[in-house]
Amino acid sequence: MKHRAGFVNIIGNPNVGKSTLMNAFVGEKLSIITSKAQTTRHRILGLVNGDDFQIIFSDTPGIIKPAYELQESMMDFVKSAFDDADILVYMVEVGESELKDEAFFNKIKRSKIPVLLLINKIDNSNQEEVEKKVNYWKEKVPNAEVYVISALENFNVEPVFERIVSLLPPSPPYFPKDQLTDKPERFFVNEKIREKILLNYKKEIPYAVEVETEEFTESDDIIRIRSVIMVERDSQKGIIIGHKGSALKRVGSEARKDLEKFFDKKVYLDLYVKINKNWRSDKNQLRRFGYQE
Ligand code: GDP
Ligand code: MG
């Protein structure tokens, strides 16, 4: 049987469940998930390998109108998702009726490649509303195949997966068959720490934070990690650390537990906080953190 492989790009508004879906497909927590918009900043690939196929899922940041340089770069990741896709997965949630960016929306409607439109979070809805939404979206994006799913509860995810497999073009694999993702281990450490920051701090704090892992040393029985949490201002540094270091300690211990599961090994995690003024608007810094080519 001939081998098939292709890129499947998942796009949509912030918070509709794109990362949850990719993790459901891949079966690992590659992408961090929180209830906050802009949790995903990079484009993250997740691979699913079968004997005669390879699917390269690509999770992207939610589509927004960029307000600063970091967000510009985030939208470049979304644009590049259009360019190399073999199949487009356009995700909406039950409550929503249009994409925030019209240019993207028109691109989807004129797409030459297959479009699967997934209406997610139907666990939050009822039969009547779901049927209404299906009709609405079929009319709005006539070139799409419409599915209703719950990524969180893994409802109807399998038929979508099967459909994707059947749409893959003939091609040899793009990545080694035992590989799970294109990102290095340090990337997942940074993302896991960022997830805990998103969950533990309010308002603008998480958006001002970038994490960089300076040391990752693996031995037979333990991984030693040292990561720096960068903030833009002195006041933010105080908030991250918290009273007698309590807040930072909590982030560290929550992240360490998840990382031990992810790597299946004991982890020693050393965290510290540094001020890095205006990194979000600095092209050189964004390049260093992997947001620009
Ligand atoms: P993304 O911004 O599109 O990547 O969305 P995420 O995958 O980060 O999910 C955003 C929020 O929606 C999280 O709180 C998820 O737990 C939640 N979510 C995702 N899928 C579903 C679903 O099928 N049903 C419900 N009720 N919540 C979901
Ligand atoms: Mg996401």
Side-chain angles (χ1 to χ4, degrees):
M1 202 171 168
K2 232 179 135 53
H3 194 275
R4 290 176 301 160
F7 285 79
V8 178
N9 296 334
I10 309 171
I11 57 167
N13 277 333
N15 249 345
V16 294
K18 298 177 295 297
S19 298
T20 308
L21 177 71
M22 184 175 89
N23 290 341
F25 281 143
V26 179
E28 294 273 340
K29 292 190 174 154
L30 292 180
S31 266
I32 62 170
I33 296 166
T34 77
S35 58
K36 293 182 184 173
Q38 298 175 51
T39 298
T40 307
R41 285 179 180 171
H42 298 261
R43 196 174 159 200
I44 300 160
L45 300 187
L47 312 184
V48 181
N49 294 301
D51 284 341
D52 56 357
F53 70 87
Q54 176 172 70
I55 312 177
I56 302 128
F57 286 105
S58 160
D59 183 20
T60 55
I63 294 168
I64 48 169
K65 288 249 181 266
Y68 43 87
E69 190 78 27
L70 170 63
Q71 293 185 334
E72 297 269 1
S73 300
M74 284 161 58
M75 290 309 99
D76 287 342
F77 287 131
V78 182
K79 280 176 203 142
S80 73
F82 274 97
D83 297 337
D84 60 17
D86 295 294
I87 299 160
L88 212 54
V89 171
Y90 172 32
M91 194 179 226
V92 299
E93 58 182 307
V94 168
E96 138 195 10
S97 52
E98 64 197 29
L99 200 60
K100 287 188 180 109
D101 187 311
E102 203 170 338
F104 274 118
F105 190 69
N106 289 327
K107 260 186 131 159
I108 293 167
K109 283 208 296 194
R110 287 193 306 255
S111 168
K112 298 260 188 298
I113 58 170
V115 178
L116 306 184
L117 194 157
L118 311 186
I119 305 174
N120 189 32
K121 305 196 187 181
I122 63 158
D123 52 293
N124 269 344
S125 188
N126 56 56
Q127 184 96 18
E128 198 184 343
E129 192 187 10
V130 168
E131 278 170 16
K132 232 189 263 169
K133 285 291 160 188
V134 169
N135 292 332
Y136 172 87
W137 284 109
K138 276 187 173 158
E139 201 170 307
K140 192 120 182 158
V141 191
N143 54 318
E145 291 175 32
V146 177
Y147 290 83
V148 296
I149 67 161
S150 167
L152 192 64
E153 296 185 353
N154 216 334
F155 173 78
N156 234 6
V157 170
E158 189 61 28
V160 176
F161 184 84
E162 294 301 329
R163 183 61 183 141
I164 289 170
V165 172
S166 77
L167 288 168
L168 290 174
S171 160
Y174 291 87
F175 294 90
K177 280 278 195 84
D178 57 359
Q179 200 170 320
L180 200 64
T181 177
D182 66 323
K183 293 273 189 267
E185 287 152 332
R186 284 172 198 236
F187 175 82
F188 292 101
V189 175
N190 299 343
E191 288 288 278
K192 188 45 77 183
I193 295 166
R194 212 162 58 73
E195 175 187 83
K196 298 310 174 195
I197 290 168
L198 277 154
L199 294 172
N200 278 292
Y201 303 92
K202 291 193 195 94
K203 294 200 183 129
E204 91 294 351
I205 292 284
Y207 301 103
V209 163
E210 176 65 6
V211 181
E212 195 175 28
T213 293
E214 297 178 328
E215 194 191 312
F216 185 103
T217 335
E218 184 161 4
S219 59
D220 285 346
D221 54 350
I222 194 167
I223 307 172
R224 289 175 197 282
I225 302 171
R226 191 181 65 244
S227 309
V228 50
I229 298 172
M230 277 169 289
V231 291
E232 294 194 310
R233 291 196 304 275
D234 202 35
S235 59
Q236 294 164 339
K237 181 173 172 176
I239 293 171
I240 293 281
I241 293 171
H243 183 61
K244 291 187 176 162
S246 57
L248 185 63
K249 209 176 270 172
R250 184 162 61 235
V251 165
S253 112
E254 288 178 11
R256 179 182 50 77
K257 281 182 196 142
D258 282 10
L259 289 169
E260 287 184 336
K261 264 188 229 139
F262 188 76
F263 292 117
D264 199 18
K265 209 172 241 187
K266 201 169 160 45
V267 166
Y268 174 81
L269 177 60
D270 183 17
L271 283 181
Y272 69 102
V273 187
K274 205 164 90 179
I275 297 166
N276 184 344
K277 287 210 171 78
N278 299 324
W279 68 266
R280 280 189 297 181
S281 311
D282 182 335
K283 272 201 187 331
N284 287 327
Q285 303 232 36
L286 288 173
R287 196 170 303 128
R288 200 174 105 221
F289 302 140
Y291 293 107
Q292 286 169 352
E293 302 290 283

